[in-house]
Amino acid sequence: MSYDRNFNNTLAIWTAFGGRGSIVLPIPTLSWTKKYYNNFGYTQYGSERQINVYDNGNAQIAVYYAKTPYMSYWNKTTKQWTVVSVPWWSHGQPEILYAADGVFIAKIVGLANIIASFDGITWHNAGYCAGAQNAMTCGAYDMDRGSGVVSWWYYKSPVYYSFDSLEERTAWTLVGSDGTSVPIFKYLTRHKGYFVGVVGGDKSIARASTSSPGNWGTTIPEDVNDTRYMFIRSINGVLFVMKFNYTNVGGDYTYYVKLCVMNDDATQITETNLSWVGDLANNNIPNPRNIMWMPDWGKFALLKESSLCVSSDGITWECLHQPGFTTSQYDTFDGAMYIPGDGFYAKASGYVYYAPY
Protein backbone atom coordinates (compact mmCIF):
# COMPACT_ATOMS: atom_id res chain seq x y z
CA MET A 1 0.00 0.00 0.00
CA SER A 2 1.10 3.57 -0.48
CA TYR A 3 1.63 5.88 2.47
CA ASP A 4 -0.97 8.60 3.00
CA ARG A 5 0.22 11.78 4.71
CA ASN A 6 -2.94 11.72 6.86
CA PHE A 7 -1.62 8.61 8.58
CA ASN A 8 0.64 10.68 10.78
CA ASN A 9 0.45 9.06 14.17
CA THR A 10 1.86 5.82 15.48
CA LEU A 11 -1.52 4.16 16.09
CA ALA A 12 -2.66 4.85 12.52
CA ILE A 13 0.66 3.58 11.15
CA TRP A 14 0.54 0.43 13.29
CA THR A 15 -3.04 -0.27 12.15
CA ALA A 16 -2.33 0.52 8.49
CA PHE A 17 0.45 -2.04 8.35
CA GLY A 18 -1.71 -4.77 9.79
CA GLY A 19 -0.91 -4.34 13.47
CA ARG A 20 2.26 -6.41 13.25
CA GLY A 21 3.95 -5.90 16.61
CA SER A 22 5.19 -2.52 17.76
CA ILE A 23 6.82 0.31 15.88
CA VAL A 24 10.39 -0.72 15.05
CA LEU A 25 11.68 2.28 17.00
CA PRO A 26 10.56 5.85 17.76
CA ILE A 27 10.82 7.45 14.31
CA PRO A 28 11.93 11.07 14.70
CA THR A 29 10.03 14.04 13.33
CA LEU A 30 12.76 16.13 11.71
CA SER A 31 13.14 19.80 10.85
CA TRP A 32 13.82 20.12 7.10
CA THR A 33 15.56 23.03 5.37
CA LYS A 34 17.05 23.55 1.92
CA LYS A 35 20.78 23.75 1.19
CA TYR A 36 22.19 25.09 -2.08
CA TYR A 37 25.54 24.82 -3.85
CA ASN A 38 26.95 27.73 -1.84
CA ASN A 39 26.15 25.91 1.41
CA PHE A 40 28.64 23.25 0.33
CA GLY A 41 31.39 25.78 -0.44
CA TYR A 42 30.87 26.25 -4.18
CA THR A 43 30.53 29.52 -6.05
CA GLN A 44 28.05 29.66 -8.92
CA TYR A 45 29.27 28.74 -12.40
CA GLY A 46 27.09 30.20 -15.15
CA SER A 47 23.44 29.40 -14.47
CA GLU A 48 24.10 25.92 -13.03
CA ARG A 49 22.53 25.20 -9.65
CA GLN A 50 22.32 21.40 -9.48
CA ILE A 51 23.90 19.81 -6.41
CA ASN A 52 23.95 16.07 -5.62
CA VAL A 53 25.04 14.12 -2.56
CA TYR A 54 26.74 10.72 -2.38
CA ASP A 55 27.97 8.41 0.39
CA ASN A 56 30.37 5.52 -0.27
CA GLY A 57 30.05 4.19 3.25
CA ASN A 58 33.24 5.85 4.47
CA ALA A 59 33.11 9.31 2.88
CA GLN A 60 30.44 11.77 1.78
CA ILE A 61 30.60 14.28 -1.07
CA ALA A 62 28.41 17.04 -2.49
CA VAL A 63 28.87 17.27 -6.27
CA TYR A 64 28.16 20.54 -8.07
CA TYR A 65 27.22 19.77 -11.67
CA ALA A 66 29.52 22.31 -13.29
CA LYS A 67 32.94 22.50 -14.92
CA THR A 68 34.87 23.72 -11.89
CA PRO A 69 38.09 22.20 -10.47
CA TYR A 70 36.68 21.59 -7.00
CA MET A 71 34.97 18.95 -4.92
CA SER A 72 33.18 19.36 -1.60
CA TYR A 73 33.54 16.63 1.01
CA TRP A 74 32.32 16.20 4.59
CA ASN A 75 35.27 16.89 6.87
CA LYS A 76 34.87 14.53 9.81
CA THR A 77 37.31 16.52 11.94
CA THR A 78 35.81 19.97 11.54
CA LYS A 79 32.24 18.73 10.95
CA GLN A 80 32.02 21.07 7.97
CA TRP A 81 31.62 20.76 4.22
CA THR A 82 35.04 21.54 2.78
CA VAL A 83 36.01 22.35 -0.81
CA VAL A 84 39.25 20.87 -2.16
CA SER A 85 41.00 21.31 -5.48
CA VAL A 86 40.36 18.52 -8.01
CA PRO A 87 41.84 19.55 -11.38
CA TRP A 88 40.05 16.68 -13.17
CA TRP A 89 36.73 18.52 -12.94
CA SER A 90 38.12 21.52 -14.86
CA HIS A 91 37.78 19.30 -17.96
CA GLY A 92 34.02 18.87 -17.63
CA GLN A 93 31.10 18.26 -15.32
CA PRO A 94 31.56 15.41 -12.82
CA GLU A 95 29.01 12.60 -12.67
CA ILE A 96 29.19 9.87 -10.04
CA LEU A 97 28.54 6.41 -11.49
CA TYR A 98 28.92 4.42 -8.27
CA ALA A 99 29.14 5.27 -4.59
CA ALA A 100 29.43 2.33 -2.20
CA ASP A 101 31.92 -0.09 -0.63
CA GLY A 102 34.32 2.72 0.21
CA VAL A 103 34.82 3.94 -3.35
CA PHE A 104 33.48 6.61 -5.71
CA ILE A 105 33.57 5.85 -9.46
CA ALA A 106 32.98 8.92 -11.63
CA LYS A 107 33.18 10.19 -15.17
CA ILE A 108 33.90 13.55 -16.74
CA VAL A 109 30.95 14.34 -18.97
CA GLY A 110 31.95 13.97 -22.60
CA LEU A 111 35.22 12.10 -21.94
CA ALA A 112 36.16 8.41 -21.77
CA ASN A 113 38.20 8.61 -18.58
CA ILE A 114 37.20 6.94 -15.34
CA ILE A 115 37.97 8.95 -12.19
CA ALA A 116 37.99 7.30 -8.76
CA SER A 117 38.36 8.28 -5.12
CA PHE A 118 38.18 6.56 -1.77
CA ASP A 119 37.86 9.61 0.46
CA GLY A 120 36.34 12.27 -1.82
CA ILE A 121 39.49 14.37 -1.43
CA THR A 122 42.10 12.70 -3.64
CA TRP A 123 40.87 11.66 -7.09
CA HIS A 124 42.73 9.33 -9.46
CA ASN A 125 42.55 8.81 -13.19
CA ALA A 126 41.55 5.15 -12.87
CA GLY A 127 41.59 4.27 -16.55
CA TYR A 128 40.02 4.83 -19.93
CA CYS A 129 37.72 3.01 -22.33
CA ALA A 130 39.36 2.97 -25.75
CA GLY A 131 36.99 3.33 -28.70
CA ALA A 132 33.95 4.10 -26.62
CA GLN A 133 31.26 5.65 -28.76
CA ASN A 134 29.08 7.33 -26.17
CA ALA A 135 28.84 8.34 -22.52
CA MET A 136 29.04 6.00 -19.53
CA THR A 137 25.63 5.45 -17.97
CA CYS A 138 26.39 3.41 -14.83
CA GLY A 139 29.07 1.42 -13.06
CA ALA A 140 29.92 -0.75 -10.07
CA TYR A 141 32.99 -1.91 -8.17
CA ASP A 142 33.90 -4.83 -5.92
CA MET A 143 36.55 -3.73 -3.44
CA ASP A 144 37.12 -7.31 -2.24
CA ARG A 145 38.16 -8.51 -5.69
CA GLY A 146 39.41 -5.22 -7.07
CA SER A 147 37.20 -5.45 -10.14
CA GLY A 148 35.02 -2.81 -11.73
CA VAL A 149 32.57 -2.44 -14.61
CA VAL A 150 31.03 0.46 -16.50
CA SER A 151 28.31 0.34 -19.13
CA TRP A 152 28.07 2.59 -22.16
CA TRP A 153 24.86 3.44 -23.98
CA TYR A 154 25.90 2.05 -27.34
CA TYR A 155 24.83 -1.31 -28.69
CA LYS A 156 28.30 -2.49 -29.76
CA SER A 157 30.19 -1.23 -26.72
CA PRO A 158 28.06 -2.10 -23.69
CA VAL A 159 30.55 -3.06 -20.93
CA TYR A 160 34.15 -2.36 -19.99
CA TYR A 161 35.85 -3.97 -17.00
CA SER A 162 39.12 -3.78 -15.12
CA PHE A 163 41.09 -5.57 -12.41
CA ASP A 164 43.78 -2.89 -12.35
CA SER A 165 44.37 -0.44 -9.53
CA LEU A 166 42.01 2.51 -9.42
CA GLU A 167 45.08 4.68 -8.93
CA GLU A 168 46.51 3.79 -12.35
CA ARG A 169 45.44 4.99 -15.77
CA THR A 170 45.15 1.72 -17.69
CA ALA A 171 42.84 0.61 -20.48
CA TRP A 172 39.66 -1.12 -19.34
CA THR A 173 38.70 -4.24 -21.31
CA LEU A 174 35.74 -4.15 -23.69
CA VAL A 175 33.31 -7.09 -23.75
CA GLY A 176 30.18 -7.48 -25.83
CA SER A 177 31.41 -5.70 -28.94
CA ASP A 178 29.28 -8.12 -31.01
CA GLY A 179 26.25 -6.25 -29.65
CA THR A 180 24.47 -9.38 -28.39
CA SER A 181 26.57 -11.39 -25.91
CA VAL A 182 26.62 -8.71 -23.20
CA PRO A 183 23.62 -6.51 -22.39
CA ILE A 184 23.56 -2.75 -22.14
CA PHE A 185 22.77 -1.69 -18.58
CA LYS A 186 20.62 1.12 -17.26
CA TYR A 187 21.56 0.54 -13.60
CA LEU A 188 24.34 -1.49 -11.94
CA THR A 189 25.30 -2.48 -8.41
CA ARG A 190 27.65 -4.87 -6.61
CA HIS A 191 26.12 -7.49 -4.34
CA LYS A 192 27.90 -10.35 -2.55
CA GLY A 193 30.30 -11.38 -5.29
CA TYR A 194 28.07 -10.37 -8.22
CA PHE A 195 27.59 -7.40 -10.46
CA VAL A 196 23.82 -7.10 -10.90
CA GLY A 197 22.10 -4.74 -13.30
CA VAL A 198 18.85 -3.65 -14.90
CA VAL A 199 19.22 -4.22 -18.63
CA GLY A 200 18.54 -1.31 -20.97
CA GLY A 201 14.83 -1.21 -21.71
CA ASP A 202 14.12 -1.89 -18.02
CA LYS A 203 12.47 -5.29 -18.64
CA SER A 204 15.06 -7.77 -17.34
CA ILE A 205 17.86 -8.23 -14.81
CA ALA A 206 21.27 -9.81 -15.44
CA ARG A 207 24.32 -10.61 -13.34
CA ALA A 208 27.98 -11.57 -13.62
CA SER A 209 30.46 -12.82 -11.05
CA THR A 210 32.76 -9.99 -10.02
CA SER A 211 35.63 -12.40 -10.73
CA SER A 212 34.38 -12.89 -14.34
CA PRO A 213 32.80 -9.57 -15.32
CA GLY A 214 32.80 -10.45 -19.02
CA ASN A 215 30.30 -13.30 -18.62
CA TRP A 216 26.72 -12.17 -18.05
CA GLY A 217 23.53 -14.19 -17.64
CA THR A 218 19.89 -13.20 -17.32
CA THR A 219 18.39 -13.95 -13.90
CA ILE A 220 15.00 -12.23 -14.27
CA PRO A 221 13.82 -12.39 -17.91
CA GLU A 222 11.16 -10.30 -19.56
CA ASP A 223 7.66 -11.44 -18.59
CA VAL A 224 4.23 -11.40 -20.21
CA ASN A 225 3.09 -8.60 -17.89
CA ASP A 226 5.60 -6.13 -19.35
CA THR A 227 7.15 -5.63 -15.90
CA ARG A 228 9.85 -2.93 -15.66
CA TYR A 229 12.70 -2.41 -13.16
CA MET A 230 14.68 0.61 -11.96
CA PHE A 231 17.16 1.83 -9.32
CA ILE A 232 18.76 -1.47 -8.29
CA ARG A 233 21.02 -1.05 -5.23
CA SER A 234 22.76 -3.23 -2.68
CA ILE A 235 22.55 -1.64 0.80
CA ASN A 236 24.02 -3.29 3.88
CA GLY A 237 23.73 -6.76 2.37
CA VAL A 238 20.18 -6.36 1.02
CA LEU A 239 19.50 -6.07 -2.72
CA PHE A 240 16.71 -3.58 -3.46
CA VAL A 241 14.99 -2.87 -6.76
CA MET A 242 11.94 -0.90 -7.85
CA LYS A 243 9.51 -2.67 -10.17
CA PHE A 244 6.47 -1.31 -11.98
CA ASN A 245 3.79 -1.89 -14.58
CA TYR A 246 1.57 0.67 -16.24
CA THR A 247 -1.74 1.07 -18.03
CA ASN A 248 -2.53 3.50 -20.82
CA VAL A 249 -6.17 4.53 -21.10
CA GLY A 250 -6.83 7.19 -23.70
CA GLY A 251 -3.30 8.50 -23.41
CA ASP A 252 -3.43 8.69 -19.59
CA TYR A 253 -0.69 6.58 -18.03
CA THR A 254 -1.08 5.08 -14.56
CA TYR A 255 1.94 3.40 -12.97
CA TYR A 256 1.78 0.62 -10.39
CA VAL A 257 5.06 0.76 -8.49
CA LYS A 258 6.43 -1.51 -5.74
CA LEU A 259 9.62 -1.51 -3.73
CA CYS A 260 11.11 -5.02 -3.81
CA VAL A 261 13.92 -7.05 -2.25
CA MET A 262 15.83 -9.63 -4.30
CA ASN A 263 17.59 -12.73 -3.02
CA ASP A 264 21.37 -12.82 -3.01
CA ASP A 265 21.79 -14.42 -6.45
CA ALA A 266 19.25 -11.99 -8.00
CA THR A 267 16.91 -14.74 -9.20
CA GLN A 268 13.83 -14.02 -7.07
CA ILE A 269 11.91 -10.90 -6.05
CA THR A 270 9.92 -10.28 -2.88
CA GLU A 271 7.53 -7.34 -2.75
CA THR A 272 7.65 -5.07 0.30
CA ASN A 273 4.65 -3.30 1.83
CA LEU A 274 5.57 0.02 0.18
CA SER A 275 3.95 0.84 -3.14
CA TRP A 276 2.53 3.67 -5.21
CA VAL A 277 -0.16 4.09 -7.88
CA GLY A 278 -0.07 7.20 -10.07
CA ASP A 279 2.53 9.22 -11.96
CA LEU A 280 6.01 7.72 -12.28
CA ALA A 281 7.65 11.07 -11.45
CA ASN A 282 6.31 11.29 -7.91
CA ASN A 283 8.01 11.44 -4.54
CA ASN A 284 5.51 9.03 -3.00
CA ILE A 285 7.37 6.31 -4.87
CA PRO A 286 9.65 4.26 -2.55
CA ASN A 287 12.83 4.79 -4.57
CA PRO A 288 15.83 2.59 -3.58
CA ARG A 289 18.13 5.56 -4.22
CA ASN A 290 16.63 7.12 -1.11
CA ILE A 291 17.29 4.16 1.19
CA MET A 292 20.02 4.42 3.83
CA TRP A 293 21.45 2.06 6.40
CA MET A 294 21.37 3.60 9.89
CA PRO A 295 24.19 2.04 11.95
CA ASP A 296 23.01 3.67 15.18
CA TRP A 297 19.53 2.22 14.75
CA GLY A 298 20.48 -1.07 13.14
CA LYS A 299 17.67 -0.34 10.66
CA PHE A 300 17.09 0.80 7.12
CA ALA A 301 15.64 4.27 6.58
CA LEU A 302 13.86 5.53 3.47
CA LEU A 303 12.84 9.08 2.58
CA LYS A 304 9.81 9.78 0.42
CA GLU A 305 7.11 12.41 0.11
CA SER A 306 6.55 13.97 3.55
CA SER A 307 7.66 10.80 5.31
CA LEU A 308 10.53 8.91 6.89
CA CYS A 309 10.15 5.13 6.78
CA VAL A 310 12.07 2.56 8.81
CA SER A 311 12.56 -1.20 8.42
CA SER A 312 14.48 -3.93 10.19
CA ASP A 313 14.65 -6.30 7.19
CA GLY A 314 13.96 -4.08 4.17
CA ILE A 315 10.62 -5.82 3.57
CA THR A 316 8.25 -4.48 6.23
CA TRP A 317 8.34 -0.69 6.58
CA GLU A 318 6.71 1.75 8.99
CA CYS A 319 6.52 5.49 8.29
CA LEU A 320 6.04 8.80 10.05
CA HIS A 321 4.91 12.10 8.54
CA GLN A 322 7.68 14.69 8.05
CA PRO A 323 6.30 18.26 7.86
CA GLY A 324 8.02 20.42 5.28
CA PHE A 325 9.71 17.57 3.44
CA THR A 326 7.99 18.00 0.09
CA THR A 327 8.57 19.52 -3.32
CA SER A 328 6.70 20.12 -6.55
CA GLN A 329 5.54 17.39 -8.91
CA TYR A 330 8.26 16.09 -11.28
CA ASP A 331 10.95 17.44 -8.94
CA THR A 332 11.78 14.05 -7.50
CA PHE A 333 14.06 13.11 -4.62
CA ASP A 334 16.93 11.25 -6.24
CA GLY A 335 19.55 10.25 -3.70
CA ALA A 336 19.72 10.39 0.08
CA MET A 337 22.32 9.88 2.79
CA TYR A 338 22.78 10.14 6.53
CA ILE A 339 25.96 11.47 8.16
CA PRO A 340 26.25 10.33 11.79
CA GLY A 341 26.41 13.29 14.12
CA ASP A 342 25.18 15.65 11.40
CA GLY A 343 21.91 14.67 9.76
CA PHE A 344 19.93 13.58 6.72
CA TYR A 345 20.39 14.83 3.16
CA ALA A 346 18.11 14.28 0.14
CA LYS A 347 18.75 15.57 -3.36
CA ALA A 348 16.08 17.59 -5.17
CA SER A 349 16.42 19.84 -8.24
CA GLY A 350 18.81 22.71 -7.60
CA TYR A 351 19.01 22.11 -3.86
CA VAL A 352 19.39 19.44 -1.18
CA TYR A 353 16.98 18.92 1.70
CA TYR A 354 18.73 18.75 5.07
CA ALA A 355 17.55 17.77 8.53
CA PRO A 356 19.89 17.73 11.53
CA TYR A 357 19.78 14.61 13.65
Side-chain angles (χ1 to χ4, degrees), residues 113-253:
N113 292 84
I114 297 165
I115 312 298
S117 177
F118 305 104
D119 58 9
I121 303 169
T122 301
W123 292 78
H124 310 277
N125 190 334
Y128 62 96
C129 300
Q133 301 297 314
N134 211 328
M136 286 175 267
T137 57
C138 54
Y141 198 83
D142 186 336
M143 287 289 284
D144 294 331
R145 289 176 171 164
S147 62
V149 291
V150 293
S151 184
W152 294 71
W153 199 254
Y154 182 67
Y155 80 102
K156 287 189 176 180
S157 301
V159 171
Y160 289 79
Y161 73 84
S162 174
F163 285 96
D164 294 323
S165 169
L166 290 177
E167 299 180 20
E168 300 176 0
R169 185 180 184 272
T170 55
W172 286 40
T173 302
L174 169 67
V175 290
S177 59
D178 58 0
T180 58
S181 61
V182 174
I184 299 168
F185 288 97
K186 192 77 171 287
Y187 309 94
L188 280 167
T189 194
R190 189 277 324 159
H191 183 76
K192 297 186 178 180
Y194 293 111
F195 292 125
V196 187
V198 176
V199 178
D202 300 334
K203 295 184 179 182
S204 62
I205 293 173
R207 75 166 193 230
S209 168
T210 59
S211 62
S212 302
N215 300 317
W216 293 83
T218 299
T219 59
I220 305 290
E222 296 184 26
D223 64 25
V224 296
N225 297 318
D226 199 27
T227 303
R228 311 294 178 101
Y229 306 94
M230 295 177 71
F231 306 137
I232 193 165
R233 284 187 68 209
S234 177
I235 306 168
N236 196 54
V238 176
L239 185 59
F240 293 94
V241 71
M242 189 182 94
K243 81 170 186 176
F244 64 97
N245 303 88
Y246 67 88
T247 58
N248 178 3
V249 179
D252 293 328
Y253 289 84

Side-chain angles (χ1 to χ4, degrees), residues 259-263 268-272 315:
L259 175 66
C260 299
V261 169
M262 304 188 71
N263 63 344
Q268 298 177 11
I269 292 179
T270 299
E271 295 180 356
T272 74
I315 296 175

